[in-house]
């Protein structure tokens, strides 16, 4: 018999090459490191103890001083960190992460939880994304003008209500006009 399949279909599927498994898998996985074939359970580097698990991988070390990540693929980590410190790119002021500027909020601003206010253009956390929540500097003036506009609208409404003189909106005055015909005919 061939390396996989059944008697009827000898080329279908492959056996897992893990030394304890040998399962016939119809959707086998080929390891990119050791180039062997494995079943779903043994496809990861760790599950089949791949000797070449670092194949095509990137390793990074984080500088303690400035929190910058530096790639160390195949090189000594300490030598790379020393070279980074001496290069002048290591700035301790970069280590401090931005926090929400709202008083008493200590939320660290990251890519996924940062919102920029459309009125004052300040970056705040998602809890304070609305102008009323972060004491928006320009947000106060439009809201006060909207209050004035609402007051004018209320005055106009009350004037229109008084001009009706107690008539109901549903009842029309004594004009009897024929019902209007629709502009589009239905067939």
């Amino acid at each position: 018999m061939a390396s996989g399949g059944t008697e009827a279909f000898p080329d279908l599927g492959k056996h897992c090459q893990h030394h304890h498994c040998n399962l016939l898998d119809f959707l086998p996985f080929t390891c990119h490191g050791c180039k062997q074939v494995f079943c779903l359970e043994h496809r990861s580097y760790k599950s089949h103890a791949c000797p070449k698990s670092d194949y095509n991988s990137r390793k990074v070390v984080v500088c303690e001083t400035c929190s910058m990540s530096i790639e160390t693929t195949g090189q000594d980590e300490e030598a790379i960190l020393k070279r980074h410190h001496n290069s002048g790119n290591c700035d301790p002021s970069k280590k401090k992460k931005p926090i929400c500027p709202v008083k008493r909020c200590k939320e660290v601003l990251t890519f996924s939880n940062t919102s920029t206010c459309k009125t004052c253009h300040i970056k705040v956390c998602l809890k304070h994304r609305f102008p009323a929540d972060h004491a928006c500097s320009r947000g106060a003036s439009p809201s006060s003008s909207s209050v004035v506009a609402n007051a004018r609208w209320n005055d106009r409404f009350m004037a229109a209500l008084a001009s009706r003189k107690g008539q109901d909106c549903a009842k029309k005055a004594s004009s009897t006009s024929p019902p209007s015909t629709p502009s589009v005919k239905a067939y």
Side-chain angles (χ1 to χ4, degrees), residues 153-169:
W153 186 85
N154 286 342
D155 292 339
R156 286 184 294 174
F157 175 76
M158 293 306 285
L161 184 66
S163 69
R164 274 198 352 224
K165 296 178 184 168
Q167 294 175 347
D168 191 5
C169 293

Side-chain angles (χ1 to χ4, degrees), residues 6-72:
T6 61
E7 291 177 9
F9 300 102
D11 295 331
L12 186 64
K14 298 205 181 214
H15 287 279
C16 177
Q17 293 181 334
H18 190 267
H19 53 87
H20 293 299
C21 184
N22 202 28
L23 175 76
L24 177 62
D25 195 346
F26 296 108
L27 294 172
F29 295 90
T30 304
C31 176
H32 295 292
C34 61
K35 307 291 186 212
Q36 291 184 342
V37 177
F38 296 100
C39 63
L40 178 67
E41 186 179 345
H42 299 111
R43 71 181 175 147
S44 68
Y45 292 135
K46 189 176 182 180
S47 64
H48 71 267
C50 184
K52 298 180 182 177
S53 62
D54 60 348
Y55 170 79
N56 208 13
S57 66
R58 296 171 65 184
K59 292 183 182 177
V60 174
V61 65
V62 178
C63 177
E64 294 290 326
T65 309
C66 65
S67 298
M68 185 176 188
S69 56
I70 307 153
E71 189 171 350
T72 63

Side-chain angles (χ1 to χ4, degrees), residues 97-103 105-131 133-137:
K97 296 186 179 179
I99 59 169
C100 181
V102 176
K103 192 174 184 180
C105 183
K106 296 188 182 346
E107 186 75 26
V108 176
L109 299 178
T110 62
F111 174 75
S112 61
N113 76 341
T114 303
S115 177
T116 304
C117 179
K118 291 180 179 172
T119 55
C120 64
H121 304 291
I122 294 176
K123 290 186 177 184
V124 293
C125 68
L126 291 178
K127 292 181 216 167
H128 302 108
R129 66 185 178 267
F130 299 113
D133 294 337
H134 67 268
C136 187
S137 59

